Amino acid sequence: MNETMVTLQGWLGSDVTVRQAGDATVASFRVACTPRRYQKKTDEWVDAETQWYSVKAWRGLGANCERSLRRGDPVVVHGRLNAQTWTNSANIEVTSFEVEAILVGHDLARGVSQFTRTPGAGQRATGVGSDAAGPEGGLEEAAQEAAA
């Protein structure tokens, strides 16, 4: 399976909107990424043009995004980059890009965040969670042992 994975670091450009797609919750939001470049000639940092990305987060991740994220928050998004080509009203072929989020979080380089575990969030399809440490104990127990 060859998929293009991307990681975005930027700012939430809108509040999260949520809709139902069948039985699944899907959250949508926009992320603005403004690259900075150092210009040696002027000895200063300069902002490049802001790039906007549409992001979709499904099911529990989408619900958590709705509860956790607000416009203007610094975020990090990791997911699959999908291209969609369509023809607009002027009969011009347009390609738009959307990120299907796998992981979303606040950018802790820009502030602090408070984490609250949701019920049932310890197990995910990726194998991360309380069962990931095997039958001898979960990740929480391993973290507590390491802290002791």
Side-chain angles (χ1 to χ4, degrees):
M1 183 159 62
N2 294 324
E3 295 180 300
T4 302
M5 304 299 284
V6 295
T7 301
L8 307 175
Q9 177 188 17
W11 302 87
L12 206 66
S14 64
D15 282 328
V16 177
T17 59
V18 174
R19 66 178 175 83
Q20 286 299 122
D23 291 339
T25 299
V26 60
S28 301
F29 53 93
R30 303 267 291 159
V31 174
C33 302
T34 306
R36 299 199 82 201
R37 304 282 187 254
Y38 179 73
Q39 290 190 341
K40 195 172 185 177
K41 291 179 184 178
T42 60
D43 191 32
E44 64 184 0
W45 288 91
V46 177
D47 287 343
E49 188 173 334
T50 299
Q51 302 165 3
W52 288 90
Y53 297 90
S54 296
V55 178
K56 294 233 186 304
W58 290 83
R59 298 175 183 76
L61 177 59
N64 289 344
C65 286
E66 179 187 27
R67 288 193 297 268
S68 303
L69 303 176
R70 299 291 170 260
R71 182 178 182 212
D73 283 355
V75 293
V76 177
V77 176
H78 181 74
R80 294 176 194 89
L81 182 64
N82 297 312
Q84 299 164 347
T85 304
W86 48 281
T87 303
N88 67 12
S89 59
N91 243 5
I92 298 172
E93 193 171 274
V94 177
T95 301
S96 60
F97 294 93
E98 180 179 273
V99 177
E100 183 183 332
I102 296 171
L103 304 169
V104 178
H106 285 112
D107 182 354
L108 298 182
R110 304 197 182 273
V112 296
S113 186
Q114 182 71 34
F115 181 79
T116 304
R117 185 178 303 275
T118 55
Q123 299 177 10
R124 291 191 11 207
T126 58
V128 176
S130 59
D131 293 346
E136 301 303 319
L139 293 177
E140 288 180 11
E141 290 84 2
Q144 289 172 355
E145 289 176 16

